[in-house]
Amino acid sequence: MPIGIAGAVVLAGLTVHSAFATVSSDGLVAEVYGGGGNAGATYTNDFVELANAGSGPLDLSGYSVQYLSGSPTSTSKWQVTTLTGSLAGGGRYLVGEAAGTGGSTPLPAPDATGTIAMSGTSGTIALVSGADPLTCLTAADCAADGRVKDLVGYGTAVVHEGAGAAAGASNTASVARGSSLADTDDNAADLTPGAPTPQNSGDVGTVGGVSGGADGGTPPTTPPTTPPTTPPTTTPPVTAAIHDIQGDTRVSPLEGKAVTGVTGVVTGVRDYGSSKGFWFQDTHPDANPRTSEGVFVYTGADPAVAVGDAVSVAGTVSDYYPGGATGGGQAVTEVTKPTVSTVSSGNPLPAPVVLDSHSVPDAFAPSAGGGSIENLPLRPTEFALDLYASLEGMNVQIGDSRVVGATDPYSELWVTVKPAQNPTKRGGTLYTGYDQPNSGRLMVQSLIPTATSAFPTANVGDTLAGTTTGPLDYNQFGGTYALQARVLGTVRSGGIQPEVTAKAHADQATIATYNVENLAPGNPQAKFDALAKGLVTSLRSPDIVALEEIQDNNGATDDGTVAPDQTLQKLTGAITAAGGPQYQWRQIDPVNDKDGGEPGGNIRQVFLFNPARVGFTDIPGGDSTTAVGVTGTGSATALTASPGRIAPNDPAWTTSRKPLVGQFTFRGKKLFVIANHFDSKGGDQGVDSRFQPPVRSSEVQRVRQAIIEHDFVQQLETADPHAEVVALGDLNDYQFSPAVLSLTDNGKTLTDLVGTLPAKERYSYVYEGNSQVLDHILVSPNLDRRVDYDVVHINSEFANQTSDHDPQVIRLEP
């Protein structure tokens, strides 16, 4: 599956709920600030402040402070700053980190200095026993690492303590514990945003209930050697309306400024998760369609307001970047550190702006040649992304809308408000090109308490019927605009059912590909049974199956295990139990942790085959690091190893799966089959990015992978012009992408069969409401008229899915 698109991959939209095992009784991470030197910052450097909640000193000479990106990938590394000296009982200890080009005030003299450039909005800091870098990349794994003394995830960090990361960090705000140093192992509850207040070991004050100086006893009789830092000059708050705060671009002209007297009526309340607060909207709008009249107020705790309350708000304006400023997402203008006064209750809400096929432009986003569009004046009548930005925080409404992205585990679904825009045969919205991201797509979430009404379960092609109304937000995980429903429509079924492919003739070899999404022995038996049903019933037990994302015998546990026999035994056993054949398998164990995917999982491609129908030609010599070659000519053309891996040591396959090639026979005819899982899209900017057009940075590696495989296929076809080659699997790219076109050489070397389908059927995966192609079956040109090809839709369009990919199958006459 693609990791980190739109942000996100990781683990896109995934919050790991995991409490750490023990609460620290002494050393804690007290404050984290990654905005140092950034635009609007006062301090020139990032910093981490430690505190000692105990009465006795803590020797820090054996400790380090470590930092991890908020959205780690399989190649992410912890960065380390070693510590020295002692953390006094009741004292503070300042770790200075990298400087930026902005800011005017240096930190107080740090007690330790590092060079880590922390994100201002999302990341993880750990206080660690020892100086060896941590290796954990999930909250669960970090919780299990006994070296972690304390840990703070902030923003949208995947790794955090408790139910959520600490929210509210920005260029102008740190996240910090209160004076009592409360530590419940829940970052969202224990740390709150505020102006940065760095303290070093020379500062005097009351910490954790212990009064005194650096030794935790009486204050020192001599002044600290470092003169106190002059506090920044405070500016009187500005009296402003909401449209003054929002401005006519994507960022606020009042960013970082204190405002007061901001009035409006509450249109929505979010009292769950790590981003608690409320939306309110001015009932006296200006005449400028570029300026939103609504804004989100971040409270950090359950808001003491209700929908319909007229309120007056004072606070600080902040442009918050969900996923971090470097991730490419849009900024969300918020009011933070608020003081809220309720003037009256039960007021009528501002009339919602109706989003439909007429009001939403066909064009999606302006272009800045790959640069940022956030400072461009909004053009809401020309571009959908500008329209949504101009309505950020405002009350909006949709009517009957077709579902184009099924309900996911995070209570989200996607609809289209432009039903005629690239419809698929089964009710989705087709992604036809980089310039056609489909402007009518919109995410829907709910503000209605689950105890009152469960979020609806919907499949692609269903209709969200009736009125759905609420404030328009920017989703912090998906990196896209989302209607936060205060009133939610009901689901009317569109009636789609899982597909079953046509039956093959006896003289046709059937070859399939299926990404089984991180399959490991620890998965529920129900997943194995569902995969087996898909293979046996929907795909009619193909003769050869190329599987992607088969994990090793202990899944994500990273202990050096690479063998997958337990995973494959459990899957093939389920297939037999479902009435399928007794499949055999061939595969090659990867080098531990060298093929990407979920850390510790060692995903790889595997061939299953039915020995009653096809033969596998075993040729010794294939292993994880030996490149397979081609030998012989004409009908004697063969692989030098079967199974083998294509160019496994080439840098193109760094932290990525290497192609697995096998030599098969069917009715005396030789078949060369290549199972693929190209590099993920992790790191690419999403279609909703503030950088337009978005940068597809991961594409570079996939193009190189495609060229290497193309050259191997060309060797086979040069040796034998009649060679029958099938290359298939998860290429993690579209049929029109440079990578796929490089692999096929525009059809000269391989034919991409998805292009032979009717246009409305060209998809195998649904992401953010776009039905798109990531999985492919490609055949040598001499085969393309002798195959029947089918994408079998059993997963991607359904809320109840076994994998996020649909399998594909061909019926081939050799």
Side-chain angles (χ1 to χ4, degrees):
M1 63 183 175
I3 299 175
I5 303 178
V9 177
V10 220
L11 301 172
L14 180 63
T15 301
V16 182
H17 299 279
S18 176
F20 277 56
T22 57
V23 174
S24 177
S25 60
D26 43 28
L28 292 166
V29 177
E31 186 173 2
V32 176
Y33 177 58
N38 293 351
T42 297
Y43 290 100
T44 57
N45 289 67
D46 301 338
F47 70 85
V48 176
E49 183 179 311
L50 307 177
N52 188 345
S55 57
L58 175 65
D59 183 5
L60 292 178
S61 59
Y63 283 88
S64 61
V65 160
Q66 302 192 19
Y67 170 80
L68 179 69
S69 164
S71 301
T73 68
S74 60
T75 59
S76 296
K77 304 295 183 185
W78 287 82
Q79 300 177 61
V80 179
T81 299
T82 56
L83 308 180
T84 60
S86 177
L87 175 55
R92 301 276 170 152
Y93 184 102
L94 185 63
V95 183
E97 296 292 1
T101 58
S104 57
T105 304
L107 297 176
D111 300 296
T113 302
T115 59
I116 300 172
M118 298 156 52
S119 166
T121 55
S122 181
T124 302
I125 287 290
L127 176 59
V128 179
S129 176
D132 291 335
L134 297 172
T135 58
C136 54
L137 296 174
T138 67
D141 286 346
C142 290
D145 193 324
R147 296 176 295 161
V148 177
K149 187 171 182 64
D150 191 30
L151 180 143
V152 169
Y154 60 99
T156 56
V158 168
V159 178
H160 54 72
E161 290 184 350
S170 70
N171 291 350
T172 57
S174 66
V175 292
R177 299 183 192 275
S179 60
S180 66
L181 296 180
D183 180 25
T184 65
D185 275 350
D186 186 339
N187 294 157
D190 294 341
L191 294 97
T192 56
T197 57
Q199 300 179 70
N200 61 18
S201 59
D203 283 314
V204 181
T206 302
V207 179
V210 180
S211 177
D215 62 357
T218 58
T221 56
T222 57
T225 56
T226 303
T229 302
T230 303
T233 303
T234 57
T235 303
V238 177
T239 301
I242 292 175
H243 47 251
D244 299 325
I245 293 172
Q246 288 283 14
D248 65 358
T249 71
R250 286 175 163 78
V251 291
S252 173
L254 300 179
E255 155 70 23
K257 297 185 181 298
V259 293
T260 190
V262 188
T263 59
V265 172
V266 176
T267 60
V269 175
R270 182 160 58 207
D271 57 3
Y272 61 88
S274 60
S275 185
K276 294 181 178 180
F278 65 90
W279 293 265
F280 74 128
Q281 185 169 330
D282 199 330
T283 55
H284 301 285
D286 65 7
N288 187 350
R290 292 172 170 164
T291 57
S292 173
E293 301 294 340
V295 73
F296 183 70
V297 179
Y298 172 73
T299 60
D302 288 351
V305 297
V307 171
D309 285 356
V311 296
S312 179
V313 176
T316 300
V317 177
S318 172
D319 282 323
Y320 168 60
Y321 292 92
T326 60
Q330 303 279 344
V332 179
T333 299
E334 300 178 343
V335 178
T336 63
K337 295 175 283 187
T339 301
V340 182
S341 301
T342 301
V343 178
S344 61
S345 300
N347 297 282
L349 304 189
V353 176
V354 176
L355 301 176
D356 58 21
S357 59
H358 302 292
S359 63
V360 177
D362 292 333
F364 188 67
S367 175
S372 174
I373 61 174
E374 67 180 4
N375 290 307
L376 299 178
L378 298 173
R379 291 182 279 173
T381 61
E382 298 179 46
F383 301 106
L385 208 57
D386 284 21
L387 173 67
Y388 296 146
S390 75
L391 299 175
E392 178 194 289
M394 288 182 63
N395 196 29
V396 300
Q397 178 177 304
I398 59 174
D400 287 5
S401 300
R402 194 175 72 244
V403 175
V404 295
T407 303
D408 65 21
Y410 313 105
S411 297
E412 304 163 342
L413 59 80
W414 287 79
V415 300
T416 181
V417 298
K418 299 177 80 69
Q421 195 171 56
N422 295 320
T424 69
K425 184 179 180 180
R426 288 162 59 90
T429 295
L430 197 70
Y431 185 52
T432 61
Y434 296 122
D435 59 344
Q436 295 290 325
N438 293 313
S439 61
R441 298 171 303 109
L442 185 66
M443 179 186 280
V444 176
Q445 296 178 290
S446 178
L447 298 174
I448 304 169
T450 54
T452 303
S453 177
F455 192 80
T457 298
N459 297 324
V460 169
D462 291 350
T463 297
L464 186 61
T467 297
T468 298
T469 308
L472 187 66
D473 189 27
Y474 189 77
N475 179 276
Q476 62 176 316
F477 295 115
T480 189
Y481 287 99
L483 195 164
Q484 301 290 333
R486 186 183 62 252
V487 177
L488 189 59
T490 57
V491 171
R492 186 170 65 232
S493 174
I496 67 167
Q497 296 294 323
E499 292 184 329
V500 175
T501 196
K503 189 175 181 180
H505 298 298
D507 60 351
Q508 289 180 315
T510 54
I511 306 173
T513 175
Y514 198 172
N515 183 320
V516 293
E517 196 177 6
N518 289 322
L519 187 66
N523 291 159
Q525 183 63 41
K527 178 172 182 177
F528 286 91
D529 293 342
L531 289 171
K533 180 181 178 182
L535 287 163
V536 174
T537 301
S538 295
L539 296 182
R540 297 185 184 270
S541 300
D543 300 326
I544 302 169
V545 184
L547 299 171
E548 299 88 54
E549 295 197 16
I550 291 290
Q551 292 197 345
D552 63 35
N553 287 339
N554 57 19
T557 301
D558 194 0
D559 62 358
T561 299
V562 292
D565 53 292
Q566 294 175 28
T567 310
L568 292 168
Q569 286 168 0
K570 195 168 181 179
L571 176 59
T572 54
I575 291 170
T576 303
Q582 292 186 329
Y583 281 114
Q584 295 182 16
W585 67 77
R586 296 292 188 273
Q587 62 92 43
I588 292 176
D589 290 339
V591 177
N592 187 48
D593 289 340
K594 295 298 183 182
D595 278 21
E598 187 176 21
N602 289 310
I603 59 174
R604 84 290 307 274
Q605 299 90 267
V606 172
F607 290 124
L608 298 185
F609 65 97
N610 179 359
R613 292 273 300 165
V614 295
F616 188 90
T617 304
D618 288 294
I619 302 172
D623 59 34
S624 59
T625 58
T626 300
V628 66
V630 177
T631 184
T633 59
S635 61
T637 299
L639 302 176
T640 58
S642 176
R645 296 178 114 193
I646 298 175
N649 300 310
D650 192 282
W653 308 108
T654 300
T655 65
S656 182
R657 283 67 57 189
K658 289 71 176 170
L660 181 73
V661 58
Q663 186 170 314
F664 293 85
T665 56
F666 177 73
R667 295 196 165 194
K669 298 292 186 179
K670 195 179 298 181
L671 288 172
F672 300 101
V673 184
I674 306 172
N676 294 286
H677 189 186
F678 279 12
D679 193 50
S680 82
K681 289 182 174 290
D684 287 6
Q685 293 169 350
V687 295
D688 288 353
S689 172
R690 70 181 185 278
F691 298 101
Q692 291 291 334
V695 175
R696 303 184 299 273
S697 58
S698 69
E699 192 173 83
V700 175
Q701 186 171 0
R702 282 193 303 282
V703 169
R704 178 160 182 157
Q705 292 175 343
I707 291 171
I708 289 172
E709 182 163 323
H710 164 271
D711 291 351
F712 179 82
V713 173
Q714 197 170 57
Q715 287 182 56
L716 280 170
E717 294 178 347
T718 299
D720 179 8
H722 301 291
E724 298 185 344
V725 181
V726 179
L728 73 174
D730 179 1
L731 300 184
N732 264 319
D733 226 331
Y734 316 116
Q735 68 273 32
F736 47 79
S737 67
V740 174
L741 294 177
S742 296
L743 177 56
T744 65
D745 193 13
N746 290 301
K748 297 176 184 177
T749 302
L750 289 167
T751 299
D752 187 0
L753 293 177
V754 73
T756 67
L757 294 177
K760 291 186 176 184
E761 299 178 24
R762 297 175 186 173
Y763 63 95
S764 64
Y765 189 86
V766 179
Y767 181 71
E768 293 189 346
N770 272 328
S771 296
Q772 55 195 250
V773 176
L774 292 182
D775 310 89
H776 300 253
I777 299 183
L778 311 101
V779 298
S780 46
N782 61 317
L783 292 180
D784 58 8
R785 295 185 180 181
R786 289 189 277 145
V787 295
D788 297 321
Y789 168 63
D790 193 10
V791 179
V792 187
H793 301 299
I794 60 175
N795 288 318
S796 67
E797 298 171 311
F798 296 93
N800 180 19
Q801 54 183 228
T802 309
S803 167
D804 48 354
H805 294 252
D806 286 327
Q808 304 182 8
V809 65
I810 59 171
R811 295 174 289 277
L812 167 66
E813 296 178 9

